[in-house]
Amino acid sequence: MALLERTGRDGSAAPSGRRPRGRSLGSLTARRERRERRWHLGPDLDRQQRPSRSLLVALGLASATLMTLDLTADGAALDPVRGAVADVVGPAQAGASALVRPVVGVPDLLRTHSSLRDEVAALEEENTALRAELGSAAFQRNRLAAYDELTAAAEDLGYSLVPSRVVGWGPAQSFSSTVTIDAGTDAGVRPDMTVVSGAGLVGRVVSAGRTSATVLLIIDPSSTVGARVGDTMDMGFLRGRGVVGDDARLDLELVDRTAVPARQDSVVTWGSDGGAPYVAGVPIGRVTHVYSSLRETAQRVVLAPYVDFGSLDVVGVVVPTGTTSDRALVGVDGELKGAGR
């Protein structure tokens, strides 16, 4: 009875809520095939995307041809092609390079900035050192020239000298025009020794300690020096005025009151017994004026000293040959001799 209900009169299956099993499997298979076709291009499309053998052969032949042309005549045959490609690609390449260059150059820029900062610091330090060296160059040059003049003076005078430097200026030992030098008894310096420079007579030692000494300058009013006019050998006594600089002058009173020296005559030391306090023949100055005194029937001679007392630096103390000293001496031949100690 149930079988009759599910079967129609014509023998076909009656409608029912269930689908036949065979039809359901067919539907699943169809849907799977549709999905596979959706994700695959299919054999026709695969064949279209794969390059053919003829195309590969053509590309190979073209490449070989281009290489042959490039090697022939140094590539002159391809120059027009290169120029055309450069005209097309060049602007784009330049634009891309302009955009990329700032970003790519950032690390180099940072390294360059740090290197430049270090280089600037080094240059500033070197510049400071050069300025200091330049500032002292004139001083060192003048001092070297003074030492050279002192060695020449020792050779000309024929006396040994203790080289020293002026380290102080001012009144000492009740004198008004004195200087302090950096050589004392340890260097062989004693009182009543002659002091000279490369230009001429400076003065005499009035006191000496172990490492320094006081020198009375010939421009001091209390200083008296026996002198003679070099050209005529006329003798006299020289006194200072206490003036330093361009106006520094010395007054010479001649023993022979009738003697009249000429202008520009040179005046040198007369010399003392035993060379103390002044040795003979040391240049003092040059005659600038001669004044006559009718009342005293005498001549007053004015001299300009050879030494610039306002810029004294290197001087030499005249010492006997063989003097023991803590420093090298300038010998009579102008050469430095080793220290005696």
Side-chain angles (χ1 to χ4, degrees):
M1 191 70 172
L3 181 62
L4 291 176
E5 290 177 356
R6 290 193 298 266
T7 306
R9 292 180 180 180
D10 56 357
S12 61
S16 173
R18 295 182 179 179
R19 293 181 180 180
R21 185 175 183 180
R23 184 178 180 181
S24 176
L25 292 175
S27 299
L28 293 174
T29 302
R31 284 197 299 270
R32 186 180 299 111
E33 290 177 355
R34 285 195 298 270
R35 283 198 301 269
E36 290 177 355
R37 285 196 302 270
R38 188 180 301 168
W39 294 106
H40 291 281
L41 296 177
D44 294 337
L45 292 177
D46 288 343
R47 282 193 301 269
Q48 292 177 2
Q49 288 189 354
R50 293 176 183 174
S52 62
R53 292 183 179 178
S54 60
L55 178 59
L56 294 176
V57 172
L59 291 175
L61 292 175
S63 299
T65 302
L66 290 176
M67 288 188 292
T68 303
L69 292 175
D70 189 50
L71 294 175
T72 304
D74 294 332
L78 296 180
D79 286 343
V81 179
R82 291 194 185 96
V85 174
D87 292 339
V88 175
V89 179
Q93 185 178 7
S97 299
L99 293 176
V100 175
R101 188 180 300 113
V103 179
V104 175
V106 168
D108 292 337
L109 180 62
L110 294 177
R111 287 192 296 269
T112 303
H113 180 70
S114 178
S115 176
L116 287 176
R117 185 168 58 243
D118 295 340
E119 185 175 355
V120 168
L123 289 175
E124 289 178 349
E125 184 178 355
E126 183 179 357
N127 190 26
T128 301
L130 288 175
R131 285 181 178 178
E133 183 177 351
L134 181 62
S136 62
F139 172 76
Q140 298 297 339
R141 183 169 59 251
N142 291 334
R143 174 161 290 181
L144 181 60
Y147 275 111
D148 290 340
E149 292 174 357
L150 190 64
T151 58
E155 189 174 3
D156 293 339
L157 295 174
Y159 296 108
S160 297
L161 302 177
V162 175
S164 59
R165 295 187 302 110
V166 173
V167 294
W169 176 287
Q173 304 294 331
S174 73
F175 300 108
S176 59
S177 298
T178 60
V179 293
T180 301
I181 60 175
D182 64 351
T185 56
D186 288 349
V189 176
R190 301 288 185 272
D192 287 335
M193 284 185 168
T194 307
V195 181
V196 300
S197 71
L201 183 65
V202 173
R204 63 183 176 91
V205 178
V206 292
S207 65
R210 288 188 55 198
T211 59
S212 65
T214 302
V215 178
L216 175 65
L217 305 179
I218 62 173
I219 59 173
D220 189 90
S222 64
S223 171
T224 301
V225 181
R228 67 169 71 239
V229 180
D231 294 344
T232 63
M233 301 299 286
D234 291 327
M235 297 185 298
F237 297 95
L238 191 70
R239 293 179 177 86
R241 297 182 180 182
V243 179
V244 179
D246 294 337
D247 295 330
R249 292 294 182 267
L250 304 170
D251 294 319
L252 175 63
E253 183 181 348
L254 294 175
V255 174
D256 183 0
R257 294 176 179 269
T258 63
V260 181
R263 294 187 60 182
Q264 302 301 316
D265 278 352
S266 179
V267 177
V268 299
T269 55
W270 177 353
S272 306
D273 184 19
Y278 298 105
V279 296
V282 180
I284 301 175
R286 190 174 299 277
V287 175
T288 59
H289 296 88
V290 178
Y291 298 97
S292 299
S293 175
L294 295 178
R295 185 179 60 181
E296 300 179 0
T297 65
Q299 310 294 328
R300 185 168 63 91
V301 182
V302 179
L303 278 69
Y306 290 128
V307 175
D308 182 3
F309 292 93
S311 61
L312 277 178
D313 182 26
V314 178
V315 297
V317 181
V318 178
V319 294
T321 302
T323 297
T324 301
S325 177
D326 63 351
R327 65 185 64 188
L329 302 180
V330 181
V332 294
D333 57 356
E335 300 293 332
L336 287 176
K337 308 299 182 182
R341 293 183 183 178

